[in-house]
Amino acid sequence: LDSRTHENSGRSDLIMVLTFDSIHGKIKATSIMRDSLVDIKGVGNVKINSAYAYGGAKLAINTINRNFGLNITDYISVNFSQMAEIVDAVGGIEVEISEAERQNANKYIKEMAKEEGFEPDLIEESGAVKLRGYQAVSYSRIRSVGNSDFKRTERQREVMRKIFKKLLDANPVQYPSLLGKLLPLVETSLSNNEI
């Protein structure tokens, strides 16, 4: 969600459908472009990212299911601040970042730092870098480098893939501790046991 505080309200900045393929042992991520024009029940034809703002997770799921012929029943939502905390909780993520991406991400870092009142933690160099919380969120928000929203959603899937990999690579003994850190940061329809 594009909210900056610890409240789960706002528009969907990122919409990703995760499919758990138990046969092949894979998690598949499919992005839905946030500017897709869809019919939102009770609202009309507007961008899909506003469904959450109009009716929370329930309306967002209903909108996705009705417009894309899916049968999604569960959700996980986080906002910018919570996503940054999740990245920090897993120890950051490593990405390959171009100079243009670095400069654009730093603009978002400065914007969020000003809005939320913290000192900006800028990305100092391009190339292979380890991103901390707000750096990873800012990297995910870039839309003016590459093929617009297509490249943006690719970055978002990359960030999610890196987070999942760090979680799956963790020692199983660490799972209770990690879940204890992460679960308070998300709003979800899933129980702790399901997660």
Side-chain angles (χ1 to χ4, degrees):
L1 305 173
D2 64 3
S3 60
R4 273 74 165 170
T5 65
H6 281 287
E7 298 173 17
N8 270 331
S9 60
R11 294 167 303 190
S12 302
D13 194 65
L14 146 64
I15 303 168
M16 192 177 296
V17 178
L18 297 178
T19 305
F20 296 91
D21 180 351
S22 58
I23 295 171
H24 300 98
K26 294 186 178 196
I27 300 172
K28 299 175 184 176
T30 305
S31 297
I32 297 176
M33 298 297 191
R34 60 185 237 127
D35 291 336
S36 299
L37 190 62
V38 297
D39 177 45
I40 298 177
K41 189 176 184 178
V43 177
N45 288 324
V46 295
K47 292 179 182 179
I48 195 168
N49 70 333
S50 62
Y52 201 101
Y54 283 115
K58 185 176 180 179
L59 184 59
I61 290 170
N62 176 276
T63 301
I64 292 167
N65 287 341
R66 285 186 336 105
N67 286 273
F68 296 97
L70 298 176
N71 187 26
I72 295 169
T73 55
D74 293 302
Y75 73 95
I76 297 173
S77 66
V78 297
N79 62 30
F80 288 169
S81 299
Q82 293 161 326
M83 188 65 186
E85 289 182 55
I86 288 169
V87 171
D88 286 337
V90 300
I93 58 166
E94 293 181 19
V95 300
E96 186 74 31
I97 188 168
S98 71
E99 180 59 22
E101 288 172 323
R102 183 189 75 79
Q103 290 177 16
N104 272 267
N106 281 341
K107 289 178 193 175
Y108 285 118
I109 292 168
K110 290 175 187 174
E111 171 193 298
M112 287 189 288
K114 184 177 179 183
E115 288 175 359
E116 295 187 35
F118 63 84
E119 195 63 34
D121 183 15
L122 301 178
I123 302 168
E124 299 296 331
E125 56 191 48
S126 55
V129 297
K130 186 172 188 176
L131 300 180
R132 292 176 291 282
Y134 277 100
Q135 294 173 333
V137 171
S138 297
Y139 172 73
S140 298
R141 294 183 64 202
I142 299 168
R143 62 184 87 150
S144 60
V145 177
N147 190 5
S148 186
D149 240 14
F150 293 99
K151 184 64 177 172
R152 182 174 189 261
T153 60
E154 185 180 312
R155 286 185 199 97
Q156 293 167 342
R157 288 188 304 276
E158 177 187 15
V159 167
M160 293 302 294
R161 206 171 25 253
K162 301 277 178 146
I163 291 170
F164 281 134
K165 179 152 179 38
K166 288 200 98 169
L167 291 172
L168 292 171
D169 287 348
N171 184 327
V173 174
Q174 295 176 299
Y175 288 167
S177 171
L178 280 169
L179 287 176
K181 288 180 193 175
L182 301 179
L183 290 178
L185 300 173
V186 304
E187 178 185 316
T188 183
S189 60
L190 297 166
S191 71
N192 289 1
N193 286 340
E194 288 171 316
I195 292 173

